[in-house]
Amino acid sequence: MSNKTQWQSVCHIDDLVPDSGIAVWTEDGPVAVFYLPNRIPCLFAISHTDPFSGANVLARGITGDLKGQPVVASPLYKQHFNLETGACLEDTSIKVTIYPVLLDGDEVVLEVPIKAHDQAVA
Amino acid sequence: MSKKNLIVVGNGMVGHHFLEQFVDSDAAAGFNVVVFGEEPQLAYDRVHLSEYFTGSTHADLAMGTAQWYADKGIDLHLDEQVTEIDRDNKQVITPKGSYSYDELVLSTGSFPFVPPIQGNDNPHCLVYRTLEDLDQIRASAEGGKVGVVVGGGLLGLEAANALKSLGLEAHVVEFAPRLMPVQLDADGGALLRKKIEDLGVQVHTEKATSAIVEGEDHRLRMNFSDDSHLETDLIVFSAGIRPQDALARSSGLEIGERGGIVINNQCTTSDANIHAIGECALWDQRIFGLVAPGYTMARTLAGALNGDSEAAFTGADMSTKLKLLGVDVGSIGDAHGQTPGARNIQFNDGANGVYRRMVISEDGKKLLGAILVGDNGPYDTLLQYALNSIDLPASPEVLILPESEGGAPTLGPDALPDTASICSCHNVTKGDICGAIDAGCCDLGSVKGETKASTGCGGCAALLKNVVDCELEKRGVEVSKDICEHFPYSRQELFHLVKINGIRTFHQLIHDHGKGHGCDICKPAVASILATVWNEHILATDHVALQDTNDTFMANMQKNGTYSIVPRVPGGEITPDKLIVLGEVAKEYNLYTKITGGQRIDLFGATLSELPEIWEKLIAAGFETGHAYGKSLRTVKSCVGSTWCRYGVQDSVGMAILLEDRYKGLRSPHKLKMAVSGCTRECAEAQSKDIGVIATDKGWNLYVCGNGGMRPRHADLFATDLSDEELIRAIDRVLMFYVRTADRLQRTSVWMENLEGGLDYLKQVVLEDSLGIGEELDAHMQTVIGTYQCEWKTAVEDPEKRKRFREFVNDERKDPVQQWTQERGQRRPVVETA
């Protein structure tokens, strides 16, 4: 296991939907990117895969806040995931991967791990 | 010091309750706990056994989970029968081995008594106690038409209900002159019989079965001692229970003359290290065939094993409150008035099917017992009077007279003494509840969690809520009806805020009237309100982030993240050309196809990006969205009606199509289903729908607020012999009134049950316009109908909206986790076997 990461451009700012999520494909698999314009910072990225069902659906959940934490509710079984930490509010043993995300000009960029084969080349 | 062994034989409701009481106590630390169950499943709720036929599974009925047993360190042996107790060596023997005990608890329950009738060993003669019994009944019912229950007691009527729910013509055969002879008197029994016969169950009393032989028209014939007979396809014996004491008997424990393991007040048998609880135990020459006394024994024994010198079982209240085949029956205390000098007060309203009897003491001051049939409304109040020996009011008859004749003063929670038992399953008094509230419980949920009240049979739920609400109010706590943490309002209040203030977006509403950013509770609720009031496209920029995924993508998400598609097929009428298009599209996208219960076709397995492509093709062929994803009108089911059917008296298909086209797209608090039947044979099953219409030779009968599904409710007859115009106006107003006043996710059935004034009130509002809002409701419905658009047509024509349907916005690839397999000629997702 390596800790090496890279920043990857995943989409244009116009692809984002306010108060909702979109799914992007990254070197690390499917990632959900949420845009909450009333928060600072306003971008969040977590794994798109719902750990309870294994389906790639989290970007399609409803966003909001519970007791001040920004959350998304899984569209399948409705568990809530903290967008900042990836923690599941209903089951403390479950956590989804979170990814650092930034706006670089009009591009949304994510920090994702470098895959083993990439390192071999590097 | 090594631990001692405690063995529990029997894993039923009482055995499980004992474990719950014991494992967390101080004494438990000194014991290894081992449990043997004869059945292959964990303890389950036998009180609600008949729900197994209406959709409940063992998991729904289970009292605990294997995880709980593991967490508590209990060594659980299911499907392992204890065959012998070796008292000399303190061991129990099973086919798999022998196990030493220091303390032994027998909770072996009871078995159904099968009368010694010739022929009772026929494979279609069954009993009703375990899930396996129910599986056998279900198997036997296959291919049968008629089922008979022998025994008209409490369990027998439950069993008759089960047979009825399996679609059989059900009969009850009772030896006594009336039903429920233990709990009811002659008048009460007669009314119960009439009500049950009205529900289609035939009752035969004073019948003794002499033999069961092969039948002519059915599998079996029951010959009765009066030379009459009855033919049937299966027989369920429910003629009482007998304590399961075989194991205790063969090991030489003291057994009662008519069975039952003799126990003392500490639930200990004639062997000081062996204890017995529940239906297998005989206390003071009595067997207790209800769950609450069994629970009391379990608690007593757990206390005694912990050295509590005051723990004692001293008998139990055998009062019961039930709904048998939907009929209320209640029996309290000395129901038959056997106390010397007891006096009776009776109220018998044959027209409305209500019978009530109070048995009061000679001096008229105390309630000794009561019988209720048809309406258990006064039960809780009467039970409290009886259990707590509360002085009756000066004219005690007001307690059972209907309200219109003087107003029955219910015994408010305030009038109950602190010692009043609220939950008899878990022995929770009003004082315990007050204590929990004083210790910081501020709502019903936390009181339940703290005291366990109302987590047994649930019969005290309404009383518990009253006590908690009353006590909270006394302490100045307001009972919250808030929809969630973001809005201090109910759905109905939010509806008014939106309408009166002309609010058109969620942001404006939460800015003006709420706090925070919203959540998955309030956002879809507000989206539904906005859609009802303004009817803008659900994917309009301001609304898109509010919707559940099904609304956002206008399809139903399935377990693997793909979607299913249901095009509208109004009234279930479809041309061959359209059927072919559905087939072609399904084939092209490899979609699994299934006919729905609402006379439509469901296409499963479409990915997000395929949805708009598929809809382009469907729209081109003339299909519209079916709103299967929305809280809105689903289908209007119909039979073929007078056009083809020789019995039909009206054009039910035509009316169904008219209704479906009228109300499609109406957003509501929950989904809506309708049906139209062309004659009284009711082939469209309209009486199980939110709106049901049945043709008569003079017009249409309208039924409202029925439901199928998880909690079926028969629809109420609302108006008769309506013309087309009258029918539509009535439905317009019922629906609009529902949409405006119901709670979030409240179906019409529950809405009706909670509507103050009920059916009569709704009739006044809709048919007599008692609130003067009739025209406003009509106009609102007209606006909704006038602004209808096919959401999918609008979406596929708008490139911006189509962008939402990309699987990954930066990559053309399909979702990689979806794995498929073939089954019965179609594609389906691979099921995870985790």
Side-chain angles (χ1 to χ4, degrees):
Chain A
M1 275 286 284
S2 155
N3 297 328
K4 289 202 172 162
T5 60
Q6 63 180 5
W7 286 88
Q8 181 188 351
S9 169
V10 290
C11 66
H12 190 264
I13 189 171
D14 290 342
D15 290 319
L16 298 170
V17 182
D19 293 311
S20 187
I22 52 152
V24 297
W25 186 261
T26 74
E27 286 291 314
D28 202 33
V31 172
V33 180
F34 297 91
Y35 173 41
L36 308 182
N38 293 321
R39 279 194 171 265
I40 301 169
C42 60
L43 287 180
F44 302 87
I46 66 171
S47 166
H48 185 36
T49 308
D50 172 18
F52 293 94
S53 61
N56 291 326
V57 294
L58 289 186
R60 297 175 226 160
I62 293 179
T63 65
D65 65 330
L66 288 178
K67 303 205 161 70
Q69 318 170 55
V71 294
V72 63
S74 163
L76 273 165
Y77 301 110
K78 316 297 177 193
Q79 294 90 353
H80 298 90
F81 298 93
N82 183 316
L83 293 177
E84 288 170 336
T85 65
C88 172
L89 271 55
E90 284 77 13
D91 183 344
T92 49
S93 69
I94 300 275
K95 219 170 194 183
V96 294
T97 311
I98 51 169
Y99 300 89
V101 55
L102 286 173
L103 201 56
D104 179 5
D106 286 346
E107 291 293 311
V108 177
V109 291
L110 284 182
E111 189 179 13
V112 292
I114 299 174
K115 288 280 179 226
H117 66 269
D118 295 336
Q119 285 169 43
V121 176
Chain B
M1 198 180 80
S2 70
K3 283 189 177 185
K4 294 196 272 184
N5 292 326
L6 181 135
I7 292 184
V8 180
V9 181
N11 189 228
M13 297 176 79
V14 171
H16 177 80
H17 191 77
F18 168 75
L19 292 170
E20 282 187 335
Q21 301 294 317
F22 183 73
V23 289
D24 291 328
S25 68
D26 295 340
F31 284 97
N32 298 309
V33 181
V34 186
V35 177
F36 291 94
E38 182 183 317
E39 290 182 64
Q41 301 98 345
L42 271 175
Y44 51 86
D45 182 354
R46 285 189 221 276
V47 176
H48 296 101
L49 203 57
S50 65
E51 290 172 15
Y52 189 58
F53 284 152
T54 50
S56 288
T57 61
H58 169 256
D60 299 327
L61 295 172
M63 310 292 297
T65 61
Q67 188 62 46
W68 182 83
Y69 279 76
D71 289 348
K72 299 292 180 188
I74 299 169
D75 183 13
L76 180 65
H77 297 249
L78 292 177
D79 210 2
E80 186 170 350
Q81 188 181 8
V82 173
T83 51
E84 195 186 327
I85 303 170
D86 177 355
R87 288 170 56 198
D88 296 333
N89 295 308
K90 287 192 153 184
Q91 286 189 328
V92 299
I93 319 275
T94 78
K96 292 184 184 163
S98 55
Y99 306 82
S100 295
Y101 68 82
D102 296 284
E103 299 289 342
L104 179 62
V105 179
L106 301 175
S107 60
T108 44
S110 62
F111 62 90
F113 170 64
V114 177
I117 299 167
Q118 184 198 336
N120 67 9
D121 53 352
N122 183 288
H124 292 286
C125 289
L126 303 161
V127 294
Y128 182 84
R129 178 165 176 88
T130 66
L131 290 177
E132 282 93 280
D133 294 338
L134 266 63
D135 286 333
Q136 286 188 20
I137 292 172
R138 197 200 305 259
S140 174
E142 290 277 324
K145 289 199 168 64
V146 180
V148 169
V149 176
V150 175
L154 193 159
L155 266 180
L157 296 177
E158 272 284 314
N161 191 25
L163 294 185
K164 198 165 161 267
S165 62
L166 285 173
L168 296 179
E169 176 190 320
H171 295 252
V172 173
V173 172
E174 167 62 45
F175 179 71
R178 61 173 181 274
L179 294 173
M180 298 186 70
V182 179
Q183 291 89 356
L184 300 184
D185 58 6
D187 289 341
L191 178 62
L192 178 62
R193 175 183 185 142
K194 182 179 174 299
K195 283 181 167 272
I196 284 175
E197 286 181 336
D198 286 348
L199 293 167
V201 175
Q202 297 186 46
V203 178
H204 313 265
T205 49
E206 293 184 87
K207 292 279 183 202
T209 312
S210 50
I212 297 162
V213 298
E214 198 172 314
E216 282 175 19
D217 300 327
H218 296 278
R219 293 176 190 146
L220 305 169
R221 169 184 287 208
M222 302 170 71
N223 288 328
F224 300 123
S225 53
D226 60 2
D227 288 339
S228 61
H229 67 264
L230 178 63
E231 293 234 335
T232 181
D233 294 303
L234 70 111
I235 299 172
V236 177
F237 285 103
S238 183
I241 56 164
R242 294 290 181 269
Q244 182 57 272
D245 55 15
L247 190 60
R249 200 181 283 269
S250 63
S251 54
L253 293 176
E254 186 186 349
I255 303 291
E257 257 175 57
R258 289 162 54 199
I261 309 165
V262 174
I263 58 168
N264 63 15
N265 287 5
Q266 281 68 46
C267 301
T268 298
T269 68
S270 54
D271 180 326
N273 297 115
I274 302 182
H275 318 277
I277 52 177
E279 291 177 337
C280 64
L282 184 75
W283 178 87
D284 193 25
Q285 298 297 319
R286 292 167 69 192
I287 293 284
F288 294 86
L290 293 177
V291 70
Y295 281 5
T296 307
M297 291 183 197
R299 273 194 303 275
T300 303
L301 178 59
L305 289 172
N306 272 283
D308 177 359
S309 57
E310 287 178 14
F313 179 80
T314 53
D317 174 54
M318 295 295 279
S319 300
T320 42
K321 173 169 79 166
L322 304 149
K323 223 179 196 27
L324 291 168
L325 295 133
V327 180
D328 277 352
V329 177
S331 175
I332 294 173
D334 178 14
H336 293 292
Q338 286 158 342
T339 310
R343 291 159 36 188
N344 280 302
I345 302 177
Q346 272 165 293
F347 169 76
N348 199 346
D349 179 356
N352 289 311
V354 175
Y355 174 74
R356 292 165 183 165
R357 167 178 171 175
M358 287 199 297
V359 178
I360 59 178
S361 60
E362 197 170 3
D363 60 7
K365 286 197 175 148
K366 306 287 182 195
L367 183 71
L368 303 174
I371 292 173
L372 301 170
V373 178
D375 174 18
N376 271 343
Y379 180 91
D380 291 340
T381 301
L382 294 175
L383 182 67
Q384 293 301 333
Y385 272 106
L387 287 184
N388 299 301
S389 287
I390 299 172
D391 277 344
L392 287 167
S395 315
E397 64 275 9
V398 295
L399 293 175
I400 57 168
L401 287 179
E403 283 186 36
S404 55
E405 294 176 35
T410 52
L411 192 59
D414 231 3
L416 294 175
D418 273 357
T419 52
S421 170
I422 305 298
C423 168
S424 54
C425 293
H426 291 283
N427 193 27
V428 183
T429 63
K430 181 182 162 190
D432 296 334
I433 290 164
C434 294
I437 291 173
D438 289 336
C441 296
C442 310
D443 56 46
L444 187 59
S446 53
V447 170
K448 274 177 150 176
E450 182 64 29
T451 63
K452 295 192 119 188
S454 195
T455 58
C457 73
C460 62
L463 181 62
L464 175 70
K465 184 173 187 308
N466 282 340
V467 170
V468 171
D469 286 354
C470 170
E471 290 301 318
L472 285 176
E473 231 161 82
K474 272 195 337 208
R475 288 161 176 75
V477 179
E478 265 190 55
V479 183
S480 170
K481 292 191 180 109
D482 299 355
I483 187 166
C484 67
E485 68 178 66
H486 303 102
F487 288 99
Y489 300 103
S490 67
R491 181 189 181 274
Q492 189 178 346
E493 288 164 339
L494 286 177
F495 190 101
H496 289 146
L497 286 172
V498 165
K499 183 135 180 83
I500 292 160
N501 298 309
I503 291 170
R504 284 180 172 264
T505 67
F506 180 82
H507 282 297
Q508 195 188 340
L509 185 68
I510 200 163
H511 179 266
D512 293 354
H513 301 283
K515 61 168 190 237
H517 302 277
C519 65
D520 55 314
I521 303 292
C522 59
K523 282 182 172 179
V526 171
S528 161
I529 292 170
L530 292 170
T532 307
V533 178
W534 311 116
N535 214 21
E536 294 172 344
H537 196 282
I538 54 168
L539 294 193
T541 319
D542 286 331
H543 307 321
V544 65
L546 305 179
Q547 318 286 347
D548 272 317
T549 186
N550 287 359
D551 274 304
T552 309
F553 300 107
M554 299 182 294
N556 293 47
M557 186 185 273
Q558 303 298 333
K559 60 195 289 182
N560 65 350
T562 64
Y563 290 86
S564 75
I565 298 167
V566 191
R568 194 167 286 292
V569 180
E573 183 183 84
I574 188 165
T575 62
D577 283 338
K578 280 187 158 179
L579 265 181
I580 288 167
V581 170
L582 289 181
E584 284 171 349
V585 168
K587 219 167 168 180
E588 182 178 349
Y589 289 91
N590 201 1
L591 303 175
Y592 168 88
T593 58
K594 187 168 189 314
I595 311 286
T596 73
Q599 302 185 333
R600 319 202 273 189
I601 294 170
D602 208 339
L603 312 171
F604 288 80
T607 62
L608 198 56
S609 52
E610 286 169 347
L611 288 173
E613 298 172 27
I614 290 171
W615 269 106
E616 254 178 350
K617 293 176 205 271
L618 294 175
I619 288 166
F623 283 103
E624 286 184 321
T625 181
H627 293 100
Y629 45 82
K631 305 299 176 213
S632 53
L633 176 70
R634 298 289 168 85
T635 70
V636 185
K637 188 174 173 178
S638 70
C639 69
V640 76
S642 58
T643 326
W644 289 89
C645 176
R646 62 206 153 107
Y647 299 114
V649 292
Q650 303 282 353
D651 175 14
S652 48
V653 179
M655 178 53 77
I657 293 172
L658 193 152
L659 295 180
E660 187 153 345
D661 281 334
R662 184 171 181 85
Y663 302 116
K664 64 187 177 192
L666 171 69
R667 285 300 202 279
S668 48
H670 211 309
K671 61 186 171 187
L672 289 167
K673 297 182 179 184
M674 307 189 184
V676 183
S677 277
C679 78
T680 182
R681 283 172 182 75
E682 242 285 67
C683 295
E685 298 165 327
Q687 291 165 100
S688 65
K689 301 289 189 250
D690 298 281
I691 298 288
V693 177
I694 301 177
T696 70
D697 47 10
K698 298 187 201 68
W700 307 97
N701 284 353
L702 173 60
Y703 289 79
V704 299
C705 304
N707 195 9
M710 185 162 69
R711 207 166 66 89
R713 180 181 192 271
H714 198 286
D716 294 311
L717 178 59
F718 190 74
T720 54
D721 294 329
L722 301 173
S723 67
D724 287 8
E725 294 71 31
E726 289 168 333
L727 174 72
I728 283 161
R729 200 170 72 158
I731 299 176
D732 277 1
R733 290 183 179 183
V734 170
L735 287 180
M736 257 314 152
F737 196 58
Y738 162 65
V739 165
R740 287 182 173 207
T741 59
D743 259 339
R744 166 184 171 269
L745 297 185
Q746 189 177 44
R747 288 291 297 266
T748 57
S749 56
V750 181
W751 171 67
M752 167 65 90
E753 281 162 12
N754 288 296
L755 191 64
E756 236 172 273
L759 181 65
D760 290 336
Y761 175 68
L762 187 61
K763 281 185 187 172
Q764 287 163 15
V765 171
V766 169
L767 301 175
E768 296 159 29
D769 197 11
S770 60
L771 298 180
I773 57 169
E775 282 178 24
E776 190 191 328
L777 296 178
D778 297 342
H780 188 178
M781 184 61 86
Q782 208 49 55
T783 311
V784 171
I785 293 163
T787 50
Y788 170 80
Q789 52 183 317
C790 171
E791 294 157 354
W792 261 113
K793 187 162 189 294
T794 319
V796 295
E797 287 167 357
D798 181 343
E800 273 306 303
K801 290 195 171 78
R802 281 188 77 146
K803 275 174 70 178
R804 281 293 274 161
F805 293 87
R806 290 175 293 175
E807 211 99 53
F808 301 106
V809 301
N810 61 343
D811 203 307
E812 296 281 310
R813 78 178 71 210
K814 300 272 186 205
D815 190 342
V817 292
Q818 278 151 32
Q819 295 188 31
W820 304 95
T821 182
Q822 291 288 124
E823 186 176 65
R824 294 185 291 275
Q826 296 202 70
R827 190 178 68 154
R828 69 159 175 80
V830 173
V831 181
E832 299 263 333
T833 49

